[in-house]
Amino acid sequence: MPAPAQSSTTAAGQLFIFDHPEPLWEAAADQIAQTIRRQQGRATLGLATGSTPRALYRILARHHQEGGLSFQNVSTYNLDEYYPISPLDPNSYRLYMHQHLFSKIDIPPNRAHVLDGTVPESAVEAHCAEFERWIEHDGGLDLQLLGIGRNGHIGFNEPSNLPPDQAAALPTRKMPLHPVTRADAARDFGGNEAHVPAFALTLGTRAILSARAILILATGPSKAEAVAKAIQGPVSSQVPASFLHTVAPKVTWMIDRAAAQALR
Ligand code: F6R
């Protein structure tokens, strides 16, 4: 893996700080490729969307096209999807995954799972429970890839006032999006927050924290506060990424200098 400028063990997991994002993407892609190879190609991966993993997916596609990395026997489960949303909508995470990864690798379509933003309201709970059962049936997640929201969310598990043990054990479910999340998503919806869906389906904290390894990425100064609170603050439902403290031995943080600037 490209060497980070700094590495340390923190209360929230192993922390790698890179001077620039490019080697960070390479290192993250290496960890995913290694997970797949270690499992003889049969890995089950939890994937994220958003601006953070775009470059990483480009590199993973290169690992496939030039390095012979096969996804034929890999299963993927995405963290979240807006609700309601059609998979044909340019802002759906289903389309994002198709454009940035699935169409560029050899993953069979029936192994690439994204929560369905078209299920009727009455079927949401059953669909979310089924998604978790599919993951279990696939042997559980070998690696969960995460970004972090400016408000400290992971997936769309938003800040709450629940007791931390409850907030860290939430099931996959429909969630109202936090105002900060909607403001940040507005850039994808023509700059208009009113066009951002009010809800999303999200993998719950319970399933995320159950993954056998967790790789969380953050770049840029806008993430610095959330990163510092998650890594150096107390475990708090106000900062869902702080739940990573509870599973620290299996967590890897890869962040750039800008995202590290609020760490003490
Ligand atoms: C996306 C997801 C979110 C994002 C987070 C950061 O699937 O689950 O938690 O990882 O909102 O988003 P970006 O990368 O756009 O800053």
Side-chain angles (χ1 to χ4, degrees):
M1 118 172 172
Q6 223 176 303
S7 79
S8 55
T9 303
T10 75
Q14 196 64 29
L15 171 65
F16 295 112
I17 301 175
F18 293 82
D19 282 334
H20 305 287
E22 201 50 39
L24 183 162
W25 310 133
E26 294 281 354
D30 279 0
Q31 185 173 340
I32 294 173
Q34 271 167 26
T35 301
I36 296 172
R37 292 203 166 102
R38 203 180 310 122
Q39 299 285 126
Q40 278 85 39
R42 291 180 193 285
T44 303
L45 304 177
L47 298 180
T49 54
S51 54
T52 305
R54 269 192 208 128
L56 158 65
Y57 290 152
R58 227 178 8 252
I59 294 168
L60 270 185
R62 198 190 69 213
H63 275 278
H64 167 64
Q65 287 151 10
E66 296 168 15
L69 181 70
S70 175
F71 292 77
Q72 278 281 348
N73 294 308
V74 169
S75 295
T76 64
Y77 290 87
N78 264 82
L79 273 171
D80 35 32
E81 177 59 289
Y82 289 116
Y83 185 83
I85 202 162
S86 154
L88 302 177
D89 189 300
N91 286 309
S92 73
Y93 285 160
R94 164 56 77 180
L95 193 63
Y96 170 108
M97 289 309 298
H98 177 76
Q99 286 173 335
H100 293 285
L101 188 65
F102 298 156
S103 63
K104 303 199 159 85
I105 58 176
D106 60 346
I107 189 163
N110 61 349
R111 285 185 176 274
H113 306 87
V114 181
L115 285 153
D116 183 353
T118 71
V119 294
E121 198 71 57
S122 59
V124 162
E125 206 180 313
H127 174 57
C128 290
E130 188 176 45
F131 198 77
E132 288 198 20
R133 280 200 303 276
W134 290 340
I135 293 175
E136 280 162 31
H137 186 257
D138 259 332
L141 298 170
D142 293 303
L143 177 79
Q144 174 66 62
L145 175 67
L146 296 176
I148 181 170
R150 276 196 304 128
N151 61 4
H153 72 206
I154 47 174
F156 283 133
N157 294 283
E158 301 284 25
S160 76
N161 293 318
L162 290 171
D165 55 334
Q166 274 179 40
L170 288 167
T172 298
R173 68 206 183 285
K174 181 178 143 195
M175 268 298 285
L177 292 177
H178 189 272
V180 171
T181 304
R182 298 191 73 212
D184 285 350
R187 61 178 179 241
D188 297 328
F189 290 82
N192 189 339
E193 215 174 301
H195 292 165
V196 179
F199 295 93
L201 306 182
T202 184
L203 196 66
T205 43
R206 181 181 60 202
I208 291 173
L209 299 172
S210 299
R212 284 186 279 279
I214 296 176
L215 172 60
I216 177 162
L217 311 178
T219 58
S222 67
K223 299 295 174 67
E225 281 300 316
V227 164
K229 282 187 190 156
I231 295 179
Q232 294 180 328
V235 174
S236 160
S237 306
Q238 285 298 318
V239 184
S242 67
F243 298 144
L244 295 174
H245 287 229
T246 63
V247 292
K250 61 184 183 183
V251 178
T252 304
W253 290 78
M254 292 188 186
I255 68 177
D256 71 354
R257 279 267 166 240
Q261 70 192 15
L263 290 170
R264 297 179 304 274

